[in-house]
Amino acid sequence: RALSVNSTLTSLNLTSNQIPPGSFQSLADTLSSNSSLVRLTLSYNHVDAESAHQLAVSLTKNSTLLSLHLDC
């Protein structure tokens, strides 16, 4: 919730946070409404096909994110 209303955070690095696949829907929902985040790093988390799809759908509604890192 905090990320959806935050208007100053421009970069967020969540590398190696062991985010489970089922948690990406919440992040995707947040990205849909966030208007300040420019860079997001989710490398070395458990991004499966469904999680990647959820993120992709949310990014169709987000016009500010310029960089998304999903390294394995």
Side-chain angles (χ1 to χ4, degrees), residues 19-25 46-48 50-51 54:
I19 300 171
S23 298
F24 282 93
Q25 184 61 58
H46 304 285
V47 182
D48 61 5
E50 182 179 343
S51 301
Q54 293 166 343

Side-chain angles (χ1 to χ4, degrees), residues 10-59:
T10 59
S11 181
L12 181 60
N13 186 335
L14 296 173
T15 299
S16 298
N17 272 271
Q18 301 178 356
I19 300 171
S23 298
F24 282 93
Q25 184 61 58
S26 295
L27 180 58
D29 292 343
T30 298
L31 286 176
S32 294
S33 60
N34 180 278
S35 61
S36 64
L37 200 62
V38 176
R39 184 179 308 115
L40 176 61
T41 304
L42 297 171
S43 300
Y44 305 103
N45 284 289
H46 304 285
V47 182
D48 61 5
E50 182 179 343
S51 301
H53 176 72
Q54 293 166 343
L55 291 171
V57 168
S58 74
L59 293 178

